[in-house]
Amino acid sequence: MENGAEKMPRRSFLAHLGGVCLAGHSLLGCATVPVHYAVVRDGAVFLSDNQLNELFRKGNAGLLQGSDLPEAIVLLRGGEPPLQALGATCPHQGCQVRPREHFLICPCHGSTFNRAGEPTRGPAQNPLNRYDLELVEGGVRLRVG
């Protein structure tokens, strides 16, 4: 190692890079996705209509992050159902997926997932985690625990 620097494993670097891209920072041309830092109360996250509008200000995808969440969660608007929540962790080796217009992609090994979270191209064989959403007065409630 030069200059006493430790070498970061490729998988860790790519997972970190994917997280940076999802967090909305521009790095090497990564697509940006608006982020909402969620607070979990009683096993759920409440998002007001205003928070949802802000989250979807750039398109039909947004990311929820928070220390009490089981993982980062991608919210997708449009399609059927009109709003869905998928885990952002690729089941292949734990990298964070990135939403695209009609699918999600893992930057580490190229797995793709449809908007329902089902794998459409490997190496991932299992779907992304799905989270239940409930429409409530003034917003939605996302169950995470």
Side-chain angles (χ1 to χ4, degrees), residues 2-145:
E2 293 181 15
N3 302 327
E6 289 186 40
K7 184 175 179 181
M8 178 184 275
R10 179 178 183 272
R11 184 180 312 146
S12 297
F13 172 76
L14 291 173
H16 174 73
L17 181 62
V20 168
C21 292
L22 279 172
H25 300 291
S26 178
L27 183 64
L28 302 175
C30 295
T32 59
V33 177
V35 176
H36 176 78
Y37 294 93
V39 176
V40 177
R41 289 193 178 95
D42 299 323
V45 172
F46 173 78
L47 295 165
S48 70
D49 291 334
N50 289 338
Q51 289 169 323
L52 288 169
N53 289 336
E54 181 64 21
L55 192 62
F56 294 126
R57 73 183 181 276
K58 291 185 178 181
N60 291 324
L63 182 72
L64 298 181
Q65 292 184 333
S67 60
D68 294 333
L69 292 174
E71 63 183 317
I73 297 172
V74 176
L75 288 181
L76 300 171
R77 179 177 65 176
E80 190 55 44
L83 184 64
Q84 48 192 327
L86 300 171
T89 305
C90 179
H92 175 238
Q93 290 191 350
C95 298
Q96 283 194 330
V97 298
R98 297 182 196 161
R100 297 288 191 251
E101 183 68 25
H102 300 289
F103 62 96
L104 297 103
I105 187 166
C106 178
C108 295
H109 299 103
S111 294
T112 59
F113 303 85
N114 62 24
R115 291 178 59 87
E118 298 293 329
T120 57
R121 186 177 86 188
Q125 299 295 311
N126 296 316
L128 299 172
N129 292 327
R130 294 185 67 147
Y131 294 90
D132 291 331
L133 288 166
E134 176 185 10
L135 292 175
V136 295
E137 186 176 334
V140 296
R141 182 182 153 112
L142 170 68
R143 290 189 215 130
V144 295

